[in-house]
Amino acid sequence: MFRTPPINTISHINDITHTRLTNYKNIFSISDESQLHGIYSWNEEVAAKMMYLTGMIEVTLRNRIHKGISKIIYNKQSVYCNRLPLGNAMSCDWYNHFYLDQNRELKRAFNKELINRQGKIISPPPLPHKVISSIENGKWFYVLKVQKALNGKKIEWNEIFPEVFINYKTSLAGKDSNANKKRNAILNRLKSFNKIRNRCAHFEPVWKFGPLLSELDGQEDKPKPTDALTCLARLKIEYRKMTELLNWISPDMSAYYKSTRTHQELTFLISQEGLDNFRDSEKVRKMTLSKISRNHNIKRHLLKKESVLIQHKGKVVGRFHPW
């Protein structure tokens, strides 16, 4: 068990509101208030731990995009720029040379960092890395869809994508329709990542999905989940897609993440055993510290995927749980 049960389960659920938990009851076949709170807590735990991964992807992705675009804009400034770019090939003000007006929200996000409240351009301008670190995650999807520079030159994404998604399974450099499909598939991956990222950030149901669509052609691969079994199966697919996305942009960061306890715990959490661990949280085995001995055999309970709560003088002093 990862969460302590509330002092008053019914009051606690009322504070969350029953209306919000209706889907939990229907999907997970909840039989009582204790199980309802357990499943809600399970969702919170999954969301909280996934935020570590989403944050890692966000930072790595924006840095890769920034470096990839900076490289082509700075090295081909005679092609894309009407004036000299500020910075260097590793970090320049490419956003001042892209035609961002095709997306109002994208333009507004960058203007917020470049123009003061009086409507005047900030002088001296903020350093490029300061600007890009302030752009929220959802905007990078639209950056990768900008079609042209301010001078009208078409952005050659076939040169930039390989610099961003350095470990993608096949080449992204081609100009043919097959290469375009692969780059569009990556954009669709980013779109689904943004959706689950926002659900995690707002503690919405991370297990709630529509039909699974092909990233290549948009056709339905799987229907939307309708019960606990299909929700877990879909959650595993989405988690695999997230870890794969991180590997596309940074094999080193991906290897690091997979070595973390967060990854190990999430792998357990989105399994049937992890879900049941929360659903039956009130059934967790309790032991007093003074009575722990070989006869109690904590190891046996952990190997059976059971959590153990250690108490001393009525207070919780430790928790042992599997992952």
Side-chain angles (χ1 to χ4, degrees):
M1 182 181 69
F2 294 77
R3 297 276 178 107
T4 303
I7 297 173
N8 187 319
T9 301
I10 295 178
S11 175
H12 191 83
I13 290 176
N14 285 336
D15 287 338
I16 298 170
T17 75
H18 275 276
T19 303
R20 188 178 182 189
L21 300 178
T22 300
N23 285 334
Y24 287 82
K25 292 181 179 180
N26 296 335
I27 294 293
F28 296 99
S29 302
I30 302 298
S31 61
D32 58 41
E33 301 294 273
S34 173
Q35 286 191 351
L36 181 59
H37 178 266
I39 295 296
Y40 184 78
S41 296
W42 169 79
N43 180 78
E44 285 187 320
E45 196 70 26
V46 172
K49 293 190 181 302
M50 273 193 175
M51 282 303 293
Y52 178 65
L53 173 58
T54 61
M56 190 176 291
I57 292 173
E58 286 181 36
V59 172
T60 310
L61 179 65
R62 81 176 182 216
N63 289 338
R64 286 287 186 195
I65 292 174
H66 177 55
K67 290 179 181 178
I69 299 177
S70 291
K71 181 177 180 180
I72 190 172
I73 291 296
Y74 192 84
N75 290 338
K76 293 191 173 184
Q77 51 191 268
S78 61
V79 176
Y80 292 107
C81 307
N82 291 325
R83 60 171 176 77
L84 292 177
L86 301 176
N88 53 50
M90 291 293 292
S91 176
C92 75
D93 67 333
W94 53 265
Y95 40 82
N96 283 324
H97 305 275
F98 265 35
Y99 182 70
L100 302 180
D101 294 66
Q102 70 177 59
N103 183 284
R104 184 183 303 174
E105 293 301 318
L106 182 61
K107 179 69 172 179
R108 183 179 299 171
F110 278 95
N111 279 349
K112 185 178 178 181
E113 306 305 319
L114 302 171
I115 299 175
N116 62 27
R117 293 182 178 180
Q118 288 71 44
K120 296 181 179 180
I121 296 176
I122 297 174
S123 182
L127 295 173
H129 72 272
K130 290 286 189 180
V131 174
I132 69 106
S133 66
S134 301
I135 304 302
E136 63 186 41
N137 175 70
K139 299 298 185 291
W140 293 106
F141 168 82
Y142 297 102
V143 167
L144 294 176
K145 289 177 69 67
V146 173
Q147 298 178 4
K148 58 186 179 180
L150 280 175
N151 65 3
K153 177 66 177 179
K154 182 180 178 182
I155 303 297
E156 295 292 341
W157 286 112
N158 62 305
E159 297 183 30
I160 300 175
F161 266 60
E163 298 287 339
V164 178
F165 304 96
I166 61 173
N167 199 40
Y168 190 70
K169 47 195 173 185
T170 57
S171 175
L172 297 167
K175 291 187 177 182
D176 58 13
S177 59
N178 188 47
N180 286 333
K181 282 184 178 180
K182 289 185 287 186
R183 291 193 289 270
N184 284 333
I186 290 177
L187 292 175
N188 287 331
R189 177 69 61 93
L190 293 181
K191 186 185 294 184
S192 62
F193 166 68
N194 288 339
K195 288 181 180 179
I196 197 168
R197 181 264 179 206
N198 290 338
R199 284 190 168 275
C200 290
H202 297 100
F203 286 111
E204 296 175 357
V206 294
W207 45 265
K208 189 176 180 181
F209 301 96
L212 179 64
L213 305 179
S214 168
E215 293 175 338
L216 287 173
D217 58 19
Q219 296 297 310
E220 182 175 319
D221 285 341
K222 293 179 183 293
K224 70 177 183 180
T226 56
D227 55 24
L229 186 64
T230 52
C231 281
L232 284 174
R234 179 63 179 278
L235 197 53
K236 290 176 183 177
I237 291 174
E238 296 298 329
Y239 185 57
R240 176 189 58 76
K241 288 165 60 178
M242 292 167 68
T243 56
E244 188 177 53
L245 175 59
L246 180 60
N247 186 55
W248 289 348
I249 54 182
S250 176
D252 289 339
M253 194 68 78
S254 174
Y256 168 74
Y257 173 72
K258 288 185 176 180
S259 72
T260 64
R261 180 170 177 169
T262 300
H263 171 60
Q264 295 171 342
E265 290 180 339
L266 260 175
T267 301
F268 171 70
L269 275 169
I270 61 178
S271 69
Q272 187 65 54
E273 292 87 352
L275 177 65
D276 291 342
N277 203 277
F278 275 80
R279 184 200 298 272
D280 302 322
S281 59
E282 287 200 351
K283 297 179 182 178
V284 65
R285 183 169 294 276
K286 299 179 178 64
M287 297 182 182
T288 58
L289 188 62
S290 60
K291 294 183 179 180
I292 290 180
S293 67
R294 285 184 175 272
N295 293 332
H296 287 82
N297 199 344
I298 292 178
K299 177 181 177 180
R300 174 169 58 88
H301 296 298
L302 294 180
L303 290 176
K304 290 170 63 178
K305 302 294 185 180
E306 296 175 348
S307 292
V308 180
L309 193 68
I310 309 299
Q311 298 176 322
H312 180 62
K313 295 182 179 180
K315 294 183 179 181
V316 175
V317 295
R319 296 181 179 87
F320 292 86
H321 53 259
W323 55 37

